[in-house]
Amino acid sequence: MTPMEKAGWTPLPHSDEDLERSKSVPDTPQTRAETYRLAWNDPNFMTRRELRPVRLQLELLKPEMILAERGIDSTVILFGGARLPEPGGVAWAAKNETQKTNLELNSKYYEEARMFARLCSQQSATSYYREFVVVTGGGPGVMEAGNRGAADVGAPSIGLNIVLPHEQAPNAYVTPELCFNFHYFAIRKMHFVMRAKAVAVFPGGFGTMDEFFETLTLIQTGRMERVPVILFGKAFWERAIDLDFLAEQGTISPGDQDIIDFVDTADEAWDIIRRFYSL
């Protein structure tokens, strides 16, 4: 079957065909003008502020089409700090000795994230990697550990990177054809939760908190189905957030804290998911 037959026959030329034809026109002042470029092949036009709605749509559509074509139906999200080193690694983000000590102590969560991703990926293998596929933000730290754990057992994993002023390359363990890059935080967040069957949150900073609380809000308001939301490191999270205090103050309902489970190990976390879905 030809590519045209796969796409559906049409008597009209396909856009990829016209793109190639447009490259072979005579070189004249008119054909060199920006106005002559095909609109969707004109970077200057596509990056105009007026085209933001189109870019938002494209960022939603591109990963959605690729993940659907791959047959990925559900994911497990790993959120967590980019600054956490692997055990024995350098605490490169530390700004003082206290931070260095704590980052090195919290490096144990790198190993737990890696192990948790292995467990998820072993389950994913039973569905030919359609269910429980690991997805991370594609960066270092906990994100790297998640993609690395999947790679340990030969499983694919997803990385959702975003352009930042200090952006680094995606970690080396993301499956290359499942490595995406975003301009819009909002669309990236949508892709995190659109297929999520579980959310694992490891110690982290503002970005981790943002992703964690947005997930909580979606579940608490009924905009997202209840799925396991698992916090790794009870001692860390009990100091970082105090949901009991919010309940006492009346800013959340009594029982809203029960959306969350606390664990310290990958085995505990996977057991929660296993029981939730009767695996």
Side-chain angles (χ1 to χ4, degrees):
M1 183 178 289
T2 67
M4 183 176 289
E5 288 170 330
K6 288 181 180 178
W9 182 84
T10 171
L12 302 173
H14 284 261
S15 56
D16 57 341
E17 295 172 322
D18 267 359
L19 179 60
E20 288 305 310
R21 289 170 184 157
S22 72
K23 296 176 182 177
S24 61
V25 297
D27 182 25
T28 70
Q30 291 75 22
T31 62
R32 288 195 297 270
E34 284 193 14
T35 52
Y36 189 76
R37 294 174 186 168
L38 291 166
W40 41 267
N41 193 44
D42 181 350
N44 290 334
F45 176 69
M46 289 299 296
T47 53
R48 287 180 60 152
R49 292 191 177 184
E50 298 93 330
L51 270 288
R52 180 178 292 154
V54 175
R55 293 194 300 272
L56 285 162
Q57 182 181 16
L58 292 174
E59 283 210 345
L60 180 63
L61 190 58
K62 180 181 176 180
E64 176 66 17
M65 290 174 64
I66 292 170
L67 293 175
E69 288 167 0
R70 184 79 176 227
I72 294 173
D73 294 323
S74 72
T75 58
V76 177
I77 308 171
L78 275 74
F79 290 139
R83 305 181 185 204
L84 266 62
E86 65 178 304
V90 177
W92 55 269
K95 299 297 189 291
N96 54 54
E97 283 302 312
T98 299
Q99 287 196 348
K100 181 176 182 294
T101 298
N102 287 326
L103 285 170
E104 289 173 352
L105 287 172
N106 284 326
S107 68
K108 62 186 177 184
Y109 294 113
Y110 181 105
E111 196 56 40
E112 292 301 331
R114 186 175 175 182
M115 175 58 72
F116 177 68
R118 286 185 203 142
L119 294 172
C120 296
S121 298
Q122 287 166 348
Q123 176 65 34
S124 184
T126 67
S127 65
Y128 302 99
Y129 304 115
R130 292 176 176 270
E131 303 281 352
F132 296 101
V133 178
V134 167
V135 58
T136 79
V142 167
M143 295 173 281
E144 176 186 284
N147 297 116
R148 187 175 180 180
D152 287 340
V153 293
S157 66
I158 304 164
L160 305 181
N161 289 80
I162 191 159
V163 178
L164 298 172
H166 54 277
E167 180 69 357
Q168 66 292 307
N171 73 67
Y173 303 99
V174 180
T175 301
E177 59 269 27
L178 297 176
C179 188
F180 302 97
N181 200 18
F182 291 85
H183 173 67
Y184 296 106
F185 265 106
I187 302 299
R188 179 177 182 250
K189 289 176 178 179
M190 286 186 67
H191 277 293
F192 269 125
V193 300
M194 281 168 64
R195 290 173 167 83
K197 274 195 169 177
V199 182
V201 188
F202 295 79
F206 289 155
T208 302
M209 298 282 189
D210 174 47
E211 293 155 343
F212 166 54
F213 277 106
E214 188 146 47
T215 304
L216 281 188
T217 301
L218 289 170
I219 294 173
Q220 190 262 353
T221 56
R223 295 292 297 171
M224 178 178 175
E225 284 191 31
R226 177 76 178 268
V227 301
V229 178
I230 303 165
L231 296 186
F232 276 75
K234 187 171 184 179
F236 175 90
W237 289 108
E238 283 182 338
R239 285 202 61 187
I241 58 173
D242 190 343
L243 296 184
D244 290 333
F245 173 76
L246 296 181
E248 289 171 3
Q249 297 299 307
T251 56
I252 64 173
S253 297
D256 279 348
Q257 310 98 303
D258 298 336
I259 296 172
I260 303 163
D261 289 294
F262 292 94
V263 301
D264 287 307
T265 69
D267 286 331
E268 291 175 282
W270 181 250
D271 192 54
I272 290 169
I273 296 171
R274 182 185 58 77
R275 286 187 280 108
F276 189 91
Y277 291 107
S278 301
L279 299 175

